[in-house]
């Protein structure tokens, strides 16, 4: 008979929180790649160099130096993700039924970022971005086979980013900015109290493994099978990062850009709470009460966790190939290897649990084009490829079954008042490769074994209005 780990390991199975992240978002890890409708139309190709609209305040603040008037752009993105688990050979946790596939864990989201550029003089411009650079929400059906690893997962960020650009001359533009980012994470999962009772009963010598095995018969009136509660972890923090950029404006036909964004280290402060089940077995009641008492592993507690969001660097090319055709390219590196371990620390300073990730750095490549039909209309298209942060199936978790992704995007711009007011619309289909998973969080008895594959995809529709002053 398998049992859960003891001592400090019990704290690990208590939370079962395989991280402060959620199911796949549009880009690798849990970053949000969709920022402007104009950029989405080309799959973000060329955004480091193009400086097309106020969105450059985020993509590369050096691009603001191109602007001789102030500008505001309001975008709205509608994300329709789908995330479904296909079971192959999953195994139930100790004393629990297996459960179902969890349904579609994707959640519809509306994201409304805002971008602004203020023209100060011939050399200096300022900018402001209010957006959500990371986060997503996923919800599995209650009772699914991975419920002891993940149920509801929500990560939200809001970033307020002032920026400054400086025009050295007609060819060299520089930019820098700060990002004041707020992050909040709310995560839940079921807790297998049957495994906890079985482990404690054997470890204390009150029952033999054979007696515990008999009590796991759900038909017995004093059974310890099916005992499950729920855990919730919630925390938030505000931190500051920075970014710098440059653009080489060779002439009216060619621009090259580069940008670097710093890592941000959060210390999320919040709490962990537990909802234990009722048990008819007297010994089970006693063990659950002891494990839930103040200071015990299953007690409600203040909690903190340090999370390091990655640095990133990008280079881009904007090329006016013909009077009507623009060609664009971007490559972005993200240092996700900084996301190595997450330590959950109780209010008294002791460790509740440690989760290993071993993520890898990733690359994203995008190519696109813009074709001007006439003075009023432009059409766009693009493709992109995102690497996955996951090294192998053994490190893929239910909270973030990330996979490599391919983007297919189209878009259009209508100049209502040319050079003054225009509207963008874009649509994208993001197709993720099937992601295999073979994960038990270190203990099949405590968490069950998830063995299968994920299929995920995202449909995105974006609208944007831009006004120059």
């Amino acid at each position: 008979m398998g049992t859960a780990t003891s001592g400090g390991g019990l704290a690990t199975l208590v939370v079962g929180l395989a991280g402060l992240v959620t199911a796949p978002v549009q880009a690798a890890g849990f970053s949000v790649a969709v920022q402007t409708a104009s950029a989405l139309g080309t799959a973000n190709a060329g955004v480091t160099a193009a400086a097309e609209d106020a969105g450059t305040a985020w993509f590369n603040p050096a691009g603001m130096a191109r602007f001789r008037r102030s500008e505001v752009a309001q975008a709205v993105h509608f994300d329709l993700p789908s995330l479904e688990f296909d079971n192959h050979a999953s195994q139930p946790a100790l004393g629990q039924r297996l459960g179902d596939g969890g349904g579609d864990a994707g959640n519809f989201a509306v994201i409304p970022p805002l971008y602004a550029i203020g023209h100060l003089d011939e050399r200096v411009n300022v900018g402001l971005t209010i957006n959500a650079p990371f986060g997503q929400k996923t919800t599995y059906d209650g009772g699914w086979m991975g419920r002891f690893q993940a149920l509801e997962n929500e990560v939200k960020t809001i970033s307020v980013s002032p920026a400054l650009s400086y025009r050295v001359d007609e060819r060299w533009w520089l930019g820098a900015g700060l990002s004041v980012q707020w992050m909040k994470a709310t995560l839940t999962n079921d807790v297998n109290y049957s495994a906890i009772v079985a482990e404690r009963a054997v470890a204390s010598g009150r029952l033999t493994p054979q007696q515990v095995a008999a009590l796991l018969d759900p038909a017995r009136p004093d059974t310890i099978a099916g005992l499950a509660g729920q855990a919730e972890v919630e925390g938030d923090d505000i931190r500051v990062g920075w970014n710098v950029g440059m653009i080489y404006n060779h002439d009216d036909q060619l621009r090259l850009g580069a940008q670097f964004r710093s890592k941000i280290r959060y210390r999320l402060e919040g709490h962990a709470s537990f909802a234990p089940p009722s048990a008819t077995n007297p010994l089970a009641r006693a063990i659950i009460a002891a494990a839930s008492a103040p200071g015990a592993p299953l007690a409600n507690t203040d909690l903190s966790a340090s999370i390091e969001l990655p640095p990133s660097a990008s280079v881009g090319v904007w090329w006016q190939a013909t009077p009507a055709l623009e060609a664009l390219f971007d490559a972005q590196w993200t240092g996700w290897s900084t996301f190595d371990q997450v330590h959950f620390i109780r209010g008294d300073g002791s460790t509740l649990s440690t989760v290993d990730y071993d993520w890898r750095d990733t690359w994203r490549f995008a190519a696109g084009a813009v074709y001007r039909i006439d003075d009023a209309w432009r059409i766009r298209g693009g493709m992109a490829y995102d690497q996955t942060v996951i090294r192998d199936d053994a490190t893929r978790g239910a909270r973030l079954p990330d996979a490599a992704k391919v983007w297919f995007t189209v878009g259009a711009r209508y100049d209502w008042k040319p050079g003054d007011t225009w509207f963008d619309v874009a649509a994208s289909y993001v197709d993720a490769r099937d992601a295999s998973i073979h994960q038990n969080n270190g203990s099949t008895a405590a968490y069950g074994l998830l063995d299968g594959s994920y299929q995920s995809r995202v449909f995105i529709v974006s609208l944007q209005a831009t006004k120059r002053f």
Side-chain angles (χ1 to χ4, degrees), residues 402-454:
D402 191 45
K405 305 173 186 69
V406 179
W407 297 54
F408 304 93
T409 70
V410 294
R413 168 174 163 174
Y414 173 68
D415 283 83
W416 184 42
K417 296 180 180 179
D420 181 86
T421 305
W422 64 91
F423 302 96
D424 286 278
V425 60
S428 179
Y429 173 68
V430 185
D431 184 40
R433 297 176 58 184
D434 288 357
S436 298
I437 183 171
H438 187 85
Q439 181 63 259
N440 69 352
N441 278 11
S443 171
T444 299
Y447 306 113
L449 171 67
L450 270 183
D451 185 279
S453 60
Y454 278 93

Side-chain angles (χ1 to χ4, degrees), residues 330-351:
D330 245 80
Q332 183 182 59
W333 167 88
T334 305
W336 279 112
S337 59
T338 62
F339 206 75
D340 187 31
Q341 286 186 327
V342 175
H343 302 279
F344 296 91
I345 308 300
R346 295 187 183 92
D348 62 8
S350 62
T351 299

Side-chain angles (χ1 to χ4, degrees), residues 50-381:
E52 178 180 354
D53 55 35
T56 193
W58 174 257
F59 293 120
N60 185 351
M64 298 189 301
R66 178 171 177 259
F67 290 72
R68 302 304 178 101
R69 296 166 61 187
S70 298
E71 180 173 309
V72 174
Q74 175 69 69
V76 181
H77 310 301
F78 303 91
D79 285 18
L80 297 89
S82 177
L83 176 69
E84 297 179 308
F85 175 71
D86 181 26
N87 180 41
H88 296 169
S90 299
Q91 299 175 25
L94 181 69
Q96 305 291 337
R97 65 182 182 85
L98 179 59
D100 59 29
D104 190 337
N107 282 260
F108 173 73
V110 179
I111 306 172
L114 176 68
Y115 311 89
I117 293 175
H119 178 60
L120 298 186
D121 58 38
E122 293 305 303
R123 290 188 179 272
V124 180
N125 283 341
V126 295
L128 180 68
T129 297
I130 303 174
N131 65 345
F134 297 92
Q136 185 80 347
K137 181 178 180 180
T138 57
T139 307
Y140 292 98
D141 292 344
W144 86 290
M145 59 188 69
R147 61 194 179 278
F148 299 109
Q149 299 187 31
L151 273 177
E152 297 183 16
N153 318 278
E154 184 173 16
V155 175
K156 297 184 287 189
T157 62
I158 297 176
S159 179
V160 179
S161 305
L164 180 75
S165 69
Y166 181 75
R167 177 189 286 261
V168 179
D169 53 35
E170 289 303 310
R171 292 197 170 186
W172 291 100
W173 308 338
L174 304 177
L178 295 176
S179 291
V180 182
Q181 281 188 194
W182 169 78
M183 171 185 275
K184 181 177 181 180
T186 304
L187 313 170
T188 70
N189 58 268
D190 281 354
V191 178
N192 185 4
Y193 281 81
S194 291
I196 295 168
V197 170
E199 176 199 41
R200 287 294 180 90
V202 172
S204 65
R206 285 176 282 187
L207 294 176
T208 67
Q210 292 76 19
Q211 290 172 320
V212 168
L215 286 174
L216 288 170
D217 180 357
R220 290 182 55 143
D222 59 346
T223 184
I224 63 170
L227 297 177
Q230 194 170 97
E232 179 182 85
V233 164
E234 186 175 71
D236 68 343
D237 191 18
I238 297 176
R239 296 286 163 155
V240 179
W242 54 270
N243 64 299
V244 294
M246 59 80 62
I247 287 179
Y248 174 68
N249 184 49
H250 181 70
D251 52 32
D252 291 340
Q253 281 75 47
L254 180 65
R255 283 194 293 275
L256 309 176
Q259 189 242 25
F260 177 82
R261 191 174 299 277
S262 75
K263 63 184 178 183
I264 299 180
R265 185 175 180 84
Y266 286 94
R267 181 176 174 82
L268 300 182
E269 303 278 355
H271 64 272
S273 58
F274 306 93
S278 299
T280 58
N281 185 291
L283 178 58
R285 285 201 304 270
I287 290 175
I288 292 172
S292 304
L298 294 174
N300 296 344
T301 180
D302 292 337
L303 196 72
S304 65
S306 294
I307 295 179
E308 193 167 272
L309 295 187
S312 64
S314 60
V315 294
V317 178
W318 173 86
W319 177 38
Q320 188 76 52
T322 73
L325 179 65
E326 302 170 31
L328 307 105
F329 173 80
D330 245 80
Q332 183 182 59
W333 167 88
T334 305
W336 279 112
S337 59
T338 62
F339 206 75
D340 187 31
Q341 286 186 327
V342 175
H343 302 279
F344 296 91
I345 308 300
R346 295 187 183 92
D348 62 8
S350 62
T351 299
L352 178 65
S353 66
T354 297
V355 182
D356 295 314
Y357 287 92
D358 193 30
W359 280 5
R360 67 177 182 178
D361 297 343
T362 61
W363 281 93
R364 183 182 194 275
F365 301 98
V370 179
Y371 184 76
R372 181 187 292 270
I373 298 175
D374 53 34
D375 288 342
W377 285 98
R378 306 179 196 184
I379 57 173
R380 314 175 194 268

Side-chain angles (χ1 to χ4, degrees), residues 33-55:
V34 180
Q35 296 298 331
T36 66
S38 54
L40 181 65
T42 60
N44 282 8
V47 293
T48 311
E52 178 180 354
D53 55 35

